[in-house]
Amino acid sequence: MTDTASQVSTGFIAAIERTGNRLPDPVFIFIWLIVILMLVSAVAAYFGLSAIHPVTEQPVDAKSLFSAENLRQLMTKMPTTFTHFHPLGYVLVVMLGAGVAERTGFLGAAMRAGVRDAPKLLLTPIVVAVGMIGNLAADAAYVVLIPLAGVIFAAAGRHPVAGIAAAFAGVSGGFSANLFPGQLDALLFGITEAGAEILDPTWNANIAGNWYLIMALFFIYLPVIWYITDRQVEPRLGPWTGGAVAEADEAVSGPLTDAERRGLKWAGLTVFAVIALWVFLTIGPGTPLMDPDAKPEARLTPFYQSLVAGFFFLFLLSGWVYGHVTGTIKNHRDLVKLMSESMAEMGYYLVLAFAAAHFVAMFIWSNLGLILAIDGAEFLRWTNLPGPLLLAGLLVLSGFINLFVGSASAKWALLAPILVPMLMLLGISPETATAAYRIGDSATNIITPLMVYFPLILIFCQRWDKNFGMGSLMAVMIPYSVWLMITGVVIIVAWTAFNIPLGPGAVVDFSLTR
């Protein structure tokens, strides 16, 4: 990079960092938005803002949040508003199990087993693939796999920063690509459900609603990240001349112990047992997870709605078995302690969910969300833009906002109450809107210094290159971000243009029932 280009890049990065740092905490963003919403609702009600509901054909009038009715709702329904916030239950239930799988070391050991003995020729794609699957493990993927990738690349005579970059791109840039739904799906679809119910109170979230898409993204992103790492990033970094792997790093990447191998074996068998149980409950006698009396397209609704519980049991039981075999769980009290610790780490999310829940609820009470959705849909219909282009615009918007507000749930809680019902009115399903949002959000995760793990990734790189700065990390990751964004736009446009199902029971189109 020339001095001029480096200065421009550093200046741009600094501008993003300064702007983002001036923003208040996401909790207070919601609080200020609630204040603004209350004032706007009063003005809108005073001037008689309204729209015609597309289903009932009745007028929808703006309501002041200062009215006696809405103030009464705010004060008397505060506990209900919080506890009935859809993402809250989904996320807490999944995390109760995932926390056990992470804290027993099961997820970390699984990732080490996946990459440690990888052939040199396939080292990059294996690291990337494990990274994308590993984002199911949340924090463990960042603190275990990414530094491990640097060690393994160095041991193979390759530049360790290239390994760190490939793993970071897989874990964070490929955050919306996976072979299975996980915590992110539960979180986003809970928020989507709250937005969809503004227009259609009967709409229910299906956390497998993007399953086919995220599997396709996994197999498409894999060669993209592989190519960028081996043909662009690593040649630019140059040959690794830093010498042998340090003894401490060798310990990190060392072989699995016998206990860990036994633990992985029994935990793997437990995973297959839980999957087999869910299949049996769906197609076996009595079919508790299938509704034979429903329409054919709705018969598997109980199965889709049970997936949150399914992931809870899958993570909990496999983590428990692994912990029992390796000795990290000696009795039931240890298990309860690990579950309690995972909930303790959710403290900030609970505070954020409290503020977001009231913002979404008050948006609904004021009718402003529905009015904006109806009028916005009419405007977009007037522009005559095709649906795929609208979704491409949402994808790019999501990626841009992500540069300044890192939390995926906070951004979606801000956007979903308007965008989800608006796109529904244009015939675009909530699952499709969620897909476009998540692709754009993940593509820029790896280039914003406001991403919570960005400083940690920088520290990992500086272990191998003391002069490696924030600008250096941004310069390494920008090619990934650009190509993931371009690839994401192409995928969402093609997917919607060919009307390919996004997941089981989840289609691209949506139609309101009058």
Side-chain angles (χ1 to χ4, degrees):
M1 181 182 288
T2 65
D3 290 341
T4 302
S6 178
Q7 290 172 2
V8 171
S9 174
T10 303
F12 176 68
I13 297 163
I16 291 176
E17 188 170 18
R18 285 195 303 271
T19 303
N21 286 335
R22 290 193 185 107
L23 292 174
D25 185 274
V27 173
F28 267 81
I29 290 177
F30 279 111
I31 291 174
W32 282 114
L33 285 173
I34 288 172
V35 173
I36 294 170
L37 176 63
M38 294 182 73
L39 296 174
V40 171
S41 71
V43 174
Y46 178 80
F47 286 101
L49 183 67
S50 65
I52 302 299
H53 197 287
V55 177
T56 65
E57 298 183 351
Q58 298 296 315
V60 178
D61 300 319
K63 295 181 178 180
S64 172
L65 291 171
F66 290 103
S67 68
E69 177 189 0
N70 279 327
L71 287 176
R72 186 183 306 114
Q73 285 195 98
L74 176 62
M75 300 304 178
T76 62
K77 294 184 177 181
M78 192 168 286
T80 304
T81 301
F82 179 38
T83 57
H84 285 201
F85 188 49
H86 295 297
L88 186 64
Y90 295 165
V91 173
L92 293 182
V93 169
V94 172
M95 283 305 300
L96 270 172
V100 173
E102 180 181 352
R103 283 165 176 75
T104 57
F106 168 47
L107 298 178
M111 285 186 284
R112 285 170 56 206
V115 301
R116 185 184 177 276
D117 297 322
K120 289 186 179 181
L121 182 64
L122 298 177
L123 184 56
T124 301
I126 289 175
V127 164
V128 174
V130 173
M132 287 191 285
I133 297 173
N135 63 46
L136 290 171
D139 296 348
Y142 288 96
V143 301
V144 174
L145 177 65
I146 294 177
L148 177 62
V151 174
I152 293 172
F153 265 58
R158 299 179 59 180
H159 204 295
V161 172
I164 291 171
F168 188 28
V171 173
S172 194
F175 196 55
S176 287
N178 216 304
L179 295 178
F180 313 99
Q183 301 166 40
L184 180 65
D185 298 84
L187 176 63
L188 293 184
F189 274 109
I191 297 171
T192 300
E193 182 172 355
E197 287 181 346
I198 294 175
L199 186 63
D200 182 1
T202 65
W203 194 87
N204 291 314
N206 164 19
I207 71 164
N210 284 166
W211 196 346
Y212 301 158
L213 175 69
I214 64 175
M215 280 198 293
L217 288 173
F218 177 88
F219 291 107
I220 294 171
Y221 279 176
L222 181 59
V224 170
I225 297 175
W226 183 4
Y227 178 85
I228 294 169
T229 302
D230 289 3
R231 297 303 178 93
Q232 294 187 26
V233 170
E234 193 165 12
R236 185 178 179 185
L237 290 169
W240 173 241
T241 57
V245 177
E247 184 176 338
D249 291 323
E250 184 66 43
V252 172
S253 64
L256 296 172
T257 65
D258 291 339
E260 288 173 329
R261 291 184 184 278
R262 289 196 307 271
L264 286 177
K265 172 186 173 182
W266 286 105
L269 292 174
T270 304
V271 168
F272 284 114
V274 172
I275 293 173
L277 174 63
W278 241 251
V279 171
F280 176 78
L281 292 175
T282 304
I283 64 175
T287 59
L289 297 183
M290 183 184 291
D291 183 359
D293 299 325
K295 295 179 180 179
E297 63 272 16
R299 287 176 183 168
L300 285 176
T301 298
F303 168 74
Y304 302 143
Q305 294 175 338
S306 76
L307 288 177
V308 171
F311 283 111
F312 164 71
F313 283 113
L314 187 146
F315 284 125
L316 175 68
L317 296 178
S318 59
W320 189 357
V321 167
Y322 179 87
H324 176 72
V325 173
T326 59
T328 53
I329 294 181
K330 296 181 174 61
N331 52 52
H332 69 279
R333 290 183 176 83
D334 289 341
L335 175 66
V336 174
K337 181 181 178 181
L338 294 179
M339 296 175 76
S340 300
E341 289 175 354
S342 67
M343 288 297 97
E345 288 193 357
M346 297 301 292
Y348 177 79
Y349 174 75
L350 292 175
V351 178
L352 178 63
F354 180 82
H358 282 83
F359 171 75
V360 172
M362 293 170 75
F363 214 56
I364 295 171
W365 299 342
S366 70
N367 281 338
L368 289 180
L370 184 54
I371 292 170
L372 286 173
I374 294 170
D375 290 343
E378 286 300 319
F379 171 75
L380 292 175
R381 190 176 286 114
W382 173 78
T383 63
N384 206 30
L385 285 173
L389 289 185
L390 292 176
L391 291 167
L394 170 58
L395 189 154
V396 174
L397 173 66
S398 168
F400 177 74
I401 296 176
N402 190 47
L403 293 174
F404 306 97
V405 182
S407 170
S409 58
K411 289 192 299 295
W412 193 223
L414 291 171
L415 297 173
I418 298 174
L419 293 177
V420 170
M422 183 187 299
L423 292 172
M424 289 167 70
L425 288 169
L426 294 172
I428 297 172
S429 71
E431 293 92 345
T432 308
T434 306
Y437 167 78
R438 68 190 298 171
I439 293 173
D441 176 70
S442 62
T444 54
N445 270 342
I446 50 181
I447 61 170
T448 171
L450 301 177
M451 191 264 188
V452 291
Y453 287 104
F454 201 86
L456 180 64
I457 307 304
L458 181 60
I459 291 171
F460 291 154
C461 293
Q462 288 174 342
R463 291 175 60 190
W464 303 96
D465 183 352
K466 300 298 182 184
N467 298 319
F468 202 87
M470 186 172 288
S472 304
L473 181 55
M474 285 282 292
V476 166
M477 301 312 299
I478 281 175
Y480 294 107
S481 183
V482 170
W483 281 106
L484 289 176
M485 181 67 76
I486 292 172
T487 305
V489 169
V490 172
I491 290 170
I492 200 68
V493 169
W495 203 281
T496 53
F498 289 101
N499 203 22
I500 304 170
L502 294 149
V507 295
V508 170
D509 298 331
F510 178 84
S511 61
L512 278 171
T513 303
R514 292 181 179 274

